[in-house]
């Protein structure tokens, strides 16, 4: 156990130095934080002298990964949102109408003329001219139904069809409603996560609560309103043919047309066709840019399907206005000047650089499938976090000093070796936190303090075994060797069981519990590494240099 080949020594010290090097940015937190923020802003909206100065303030060859501070330490915003899943039902019914219409047209000789009539948003109402043929109309409409693939709805179909007088009524089946609600919330959850990630925020916590609610916690963001502005918009982009332009919001739009206000021109409204040519769902990319006049804009690109639709329409409608509609407001209604076959274009308007950047983020992330109502919102200032960090720092220092003093008084020179390894151990924890981008929470600080106390356990086991071996009149070299050999199994057994507990807490827990599990798990790994390798290597190097005839532990 006292034999360390040169390559093992080099590998141990190289690994230790690399991880400690990755922890260095945390010693210069404000400086590196401004450096990282400047890089994000340059990437999003271009460079300014101030941003370039912030970037140059931290050397490019140095690592810039920081330990992410959680909401309880850094401050930020908290939202509890409720997804209005009923909004999706109307879109589903609009999607079924063409299929029902085409199916019933084939039976026109029997059911007569058909037309869609108004009804609840969650139902599709179709009036038929021959009520006596309602049974056949129901069977025909049922032919478009599809089986549900979810486990809870196996064997059932996605729609239910009934008749009432001369009106055919199509609704979603109960199992399909449940599946639709679940898909809507999951899609909303994923889109919220993508929007927050696109904005460059650090380690958000976005979780589902109950059937239709989502909890969103984002550290480092300025206010709850700022977070709502980022994720609360549906960002539904569509391109519509323009019928006319008017100043009357109550103008008669006509069948299957809409009156939509202009975003930039107050008092101006557009009458557009309800059916869109192409939608934002077919976008593959959106980036902030500038138009030919140097004003902020958003450039976009469609996927092949959207590009074909966009190209065909612009080819056939040169000279006609074309409305770009975002969340039921016309951003702009340019006149088609030429055929646009490439599937790319630019959205112009009275944007600021920040607004064009945010719009590009929303479009890239996709449209929310349903509106979100915010039931709770809180802006958490960093003051509590600063107090918590200071309290945690004091607790760590007190624990550190107490453990260092105990080890030195109990084991003398060997205790000093253990103390050196303990200092390295804490540095390794912060280095690993920086490398994996984990979040440090207040319970995480508690995990580090606990690790400081637990880290010397392995050394205590080894040193006590060495003491026992010395009492049997064995030489120092043999006593040290047997001490490590006999204590190794106990060290591994004790730490493996604790690591399994930390892994379970991480897998099943959330929020503060996971924060504690992360630092506890990393602390166990670094403690075993420093005890088995660092402390032992320090003892071996000292023993090779001094060659003592006797030792005291």
């Amino acid at each position: 156990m006292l034999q360390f080949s040169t390559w093992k020594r080099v590998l141990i010290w190289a690994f230790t130095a690399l991880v400690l090097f990755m922890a260095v940015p945390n010693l210069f937190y404000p400086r590196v934080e401004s450096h990282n923020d400047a890089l994000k802003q340059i990437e999003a909206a271009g460079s300014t002298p101030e941003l370039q100065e912030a970037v140059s303030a931290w050397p490019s060859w140095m690592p810039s990964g920081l330990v992410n501070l959680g909401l309880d330490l850094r401050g930020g915003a908290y939202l509890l949102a409720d997804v209005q899943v009923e909004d999706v039902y109307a879109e589903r019914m609009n999607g079924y109408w063409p299929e029902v219409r085409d199916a019933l047209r084939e039976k026109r000789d029997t059911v007569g003329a058909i037309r869609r009539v108004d009804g609840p948003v969650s139902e599709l109402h179709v009036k038929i001219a021959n009520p006596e043929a309602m049974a056949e109309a129901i069977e025909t409409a049922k032919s478009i139904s599809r089986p549900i693939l979810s486990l809870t709805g196996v064997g059932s179909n996605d729609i239910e069809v009934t008749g009432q007088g001369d009106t055919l009524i199509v609704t979603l089946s109960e199992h399909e409603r449940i599946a639709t609600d679940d898909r809507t919330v999951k899609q909303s959850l994923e889109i919220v996560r993508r929007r927050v990630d696109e904005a460059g925020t650090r380690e958000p916590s976005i979780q589902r609560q109950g059937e239709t609610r989502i909890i969103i916690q984002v550290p480092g963001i300025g206010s709850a309103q700022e977070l709502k502005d980022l994720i609360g918009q549906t960002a539904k982009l569509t391109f519509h043919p323009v019928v006319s332009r008017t100043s009357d919001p109550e103008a008669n739009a006509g069948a299957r047309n809409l009156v939509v206000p202009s975003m930039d021109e107050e008092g101006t409204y557009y009458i557009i066709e309800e059916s869109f040519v192409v939608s934002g769902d077919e976008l593959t990319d959106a980036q902030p840019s500038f138009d030919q006049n140097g004003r902020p804009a958003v450039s976009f690109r469609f996927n092949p399907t959207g590009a074909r639709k966009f190209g065909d329409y612009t080819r056939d409608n040169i000279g006609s206005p074309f409305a770009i509609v975002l969340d039921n407001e016309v951003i702009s209604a340019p006149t088609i000047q030429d055929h646009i076959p490439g599937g790319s274009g630019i959205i112009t308007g009275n944007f600021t650089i920040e607004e064009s950047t945010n719009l590009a983020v929303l479009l890239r992330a996709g449209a929310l499938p349903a509106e979100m109502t915010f039931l709770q919102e809180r802006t958490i200032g960093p003051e509590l976090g600063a107090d918590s960090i200071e309290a945690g720092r004091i607790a760590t220092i007190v624990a550190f000093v107490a453990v260092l003093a105990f080890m030195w008084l109990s084991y003398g020179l060997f205790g000093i070796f253990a103390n050196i390894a303990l200092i390295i151990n804490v540095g390794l924890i912060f280095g690993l936190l920086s490398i994996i981008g984990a979040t440090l929470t207040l319970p995480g600080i508690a995990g580090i303090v606990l690790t400081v106390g637990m880290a010397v356990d392995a050394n205590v086991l080894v040193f006590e075994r060495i003491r026992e071996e010395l009492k049997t009149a064995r030489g120092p070299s043999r006593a040290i060797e047997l001490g490590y050999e006999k204590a190794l199994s106990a060290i591994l057994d004790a730490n493996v069981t604790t690591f399994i507990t930390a892994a379970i807490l991480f897998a099943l827990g959330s929020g503060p519990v996971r924060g504690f599990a992360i630092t506890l798990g990393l602390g166990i790994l670094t403690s075993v590494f420093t005890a088995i390798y660092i402390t032992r290597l320090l003892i071996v190097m000292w023993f090779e240099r001094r060659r003592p005839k006797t030792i005291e532990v």
Side-chain angles (χ1 to χ4, degrees):
M1 294 291 288
L2 289 182
Q3 302 301 316
F4 267 98
S5 59
T6 303
W7 71 267
K8 283 185 179 180
R9 300 186 188 201
V10 171
L11 186 61
I12 291 170
W13 289 124
F15 173 78
T16 303
L18 176 62
V19 178
L20 292 178
F21 181 64
M22 299 303 294
V24 169
N26 296 287
L27 301 175
F28 306 92
Y29 191 92
R31 184 173 166 188
V32 179
E33 178 75 0
S34 63
H35 165 86
N36 292 342
D37 288 343
L39 284 177
K40 292 174 185 174
Q41 294 181 47
I42 288 174
E43 182 179 355
S47 176
T48 66
E50 293 78 9
L51 294 179
Q52 289 291 354
E53 183 179 354
V55 170
S56 61
W58 184 251
S60 59
W61 55 270
M62 289 286 288
S64 57
L66 293 168
V67 174
N68 299 318
L69 298 182
L71 192 67
D72 52 356
L73 298 180
R74 194 182 185 195
Y78 167 94
L79 295 177
L80 175 61
D82 186 65
V83 182
Q84 305 300 303
V85 293
E86 295 83 3
D87 294 351
V88 178
Y89 300 156
E91 293 188 11
R92 292 290 301 275
M93 291 301 105
N94 288 334
Y96 282 121
W97 163 236
E99 297 182 60
V100 173
R101 179 191 61 202
D102 294 343
L104 291 177
R105 277 178 177 172
E106 297 180 2
K107 303 291 184 178
R108 180 169 291 181
D109 293 341
T110 305
V111 303
I114 60 171
R115 64 186 177 91
R116 183 177 180 180
V117 295
D118 293 335
V121 294
S122 60
E123 298 178 355
L124 172 62
H125 285 215
V126 182
K127 188 178 288 292
I128 62 176
N130 186 9
E132 290 78 10
M134 180 59 70
E136 185 173 352
I138 290 175
E139 291 301 317
T140 301
K142 283 183 177 180
S143 66
I144 72 166
S145 65
R146 291 176 287 271
I148 297 176
L149 300 180
S150 65
L151 294 177
T152 57
V154 172
S156 59
N157 293 326
D158 59 343
I159 61 172
E160 294 177 351
V161 185
T162 58
Q164 187 175 12
D166 61 351
T167 303
L168 182 79
I169 302 174
V170 180
T171 60
L172 295 177
S173 66
E174 183 62 27
H175 288 298
E176 180 63 16
R177 283 176 181 265
I178 295 172
T180 298
D181 292 350
D182 184 62
R183 285 195 301 267
T184 301
V185 175
K186 286 181 177 178
Q187 185 180 355
S188 299
L189 191 72
E190 181 60 28
I191 289 173
V192 167
R193 180 176 290 110
R194 284 161 56 186
R195 288 185 180 179
V196 173
D197 289 344
E198 285 274 7
T201 53
R202 298 159 62 86
E203 286 297 315
S205 174
I206 304 169
Q207 299 172 338
R208 183 172 180 174
Q209 183 186 71
E211 296 296 326
T212 62
R213 294 182 177 182
I214 298 175
I215 293 177
I216 308 152
Q217 300 180 81
V218 182
I221 202 165
S223 66
Q225 185 59 47
E226 184 180 342
L227 181 57
K228 286 170 61 178
D229 291 342
L230 177 64
I231 66 174
Q233 302 178 46
T234 56
K236 189 169 185 178
L237 184 73
T238 48
F239 296 77
H240 298 254
V242 175
V243 177
S244 63
R245 179 171 169 168
T246 180
S247 58
D248 181 11
E250 304 298 328
N252 182 14
R256 300 299 171 196
N257 292 334
L258 302 172
V259 179
V260 182
S262 171
M263 179 181 291
D264 298 333
E265 302 172 80
E266 187 174 354
T268 300
Y269 298 84
Y270 289 88
I271 298 177
I272 62 174
E273 293 184 13
E274 182 180 18
S275 300
F276 52 79
V277 176
V278 65
S279 73
D281 294 339
E282 294 166 304
L283 283 175
T284 59
D285 190 28
Q287 296 292 338
S289 61
F290 296 91
D291 62 15
Q292 63 269 26
N293 297 318
R295 294 175 300 187
V298 176
S299 59
F300 61 87
R301 181 177 298 277
F302 290 114
N303 62 21
T305 302
R308 185 176 62 255
K309 294 178 185 177
F310 190 65
D312 291 346
Y313 185 84
T314 55
R315 180 195 61 208
D316 299 336
N317 293 273
I318 294 175
S320 301
F322 195 40
I324 303 174
V325 181
L326 177 69
D327 292 337
N328 295 320
E329 287 187 313
V330 175
I331 299 177
S332 62
T335 299
I336 300 173
Q337 302 292 343
D338 200 358
H339 177 210
I340 307 175
S344 62
I346 187 168
I347 301 172
T348 59
N350 293 326
F351 300 131
T352 64
I353 291 179
E354 182 180 1
E355 287 171 344
S356 67
T357 301
N358 288 340
L359 176 57
V361 167
L362 295 175
L363 295 180
R364 282 199 305 272
L368 283 171
E371 183 183 355
M372 297 174 64
T373 301
F374 297 102
L375 306 179
Q376 293 181 19
E377 56 182 86
R378 294 199 299 268
T379 300
I380 303 170
E383 292 79 11
L384 178 61
D387 294 340
S388 301
I389 292 174
E390 181 63 19
R393 187 178 68 86
I394 294 174
T396 304
I397 292 175
V398 171
F400 217 79
V401 172
V403 171
L404 293 178
F406 172 80
M407 292 300 293
W408 175 57
L409 294 174
S410 298
Y411 299 104
L413 179 62
F414 278 53
I416 293 176
F417 292 147
N419 290 340
I420 295 173
L422 179 59
I423 295 172
I424 294 175
N425 184 19
V426 174
L428 292 177
I429 292 175
F430 279 93
L432 292 176
L433 287 172
S434 299
I435 291 172
I436 66 176
T439 300
L440 180 63
T441 61
L442 188 58
I445 293 179
I448 294 176
V449 176
L450 178 62
T451 298
V452 170
M454 295 172 53
V456 295
D457 286 354
N459 289 316
V460 169
L461 288 173
V462 171
F463 295 162
E464 291 298 327
R465 292 296 305 182
I466 293 175
R467 280 180 174 177
E468 292 180 7
E469 296 301 329
L470 288 173
K471 291 177 182 178
T472 62
R474 297 184 185 276
S477 176
R478 185 59 178 164
I480 295 172
E481 187 174 358
L482 289 175
Y484 272 99
E485 285 181 356
K486 294 183 178 181
L488 182 60
S489 61
I491 292 171
L492 293 178
D493 290 344
N495 285 282
V496 165
T497 53
T498 308
F499 185 80
I500 291 173
T501 303
I504 294 173
L505 287 174
F506 180 81
L508 302 181
S510 62
V513 175
R514 296 188 78 178
F516 175 78
I518 288 173
T519 54
L520 178 61
L522 292 179
I524 291 169
L525 295 177
T526 57
S527 297
V528 172
F529 174 77
T530 53
I532 294 178
Y533 293 105
I534 301 295
T535 307
R536 185 155 60 98
L537 186 52
L538 290 172
I539 293 174
V540 168
M541 292 171 63
W542 167 79
F543 193 86
E544 290 176 345
R545 186 179 182 86
R546 295 298 181 88
R547 295 290 180 182
K549 300 298 182 182
T550 59
I551 57 173
E552 293 184 6
V553 179

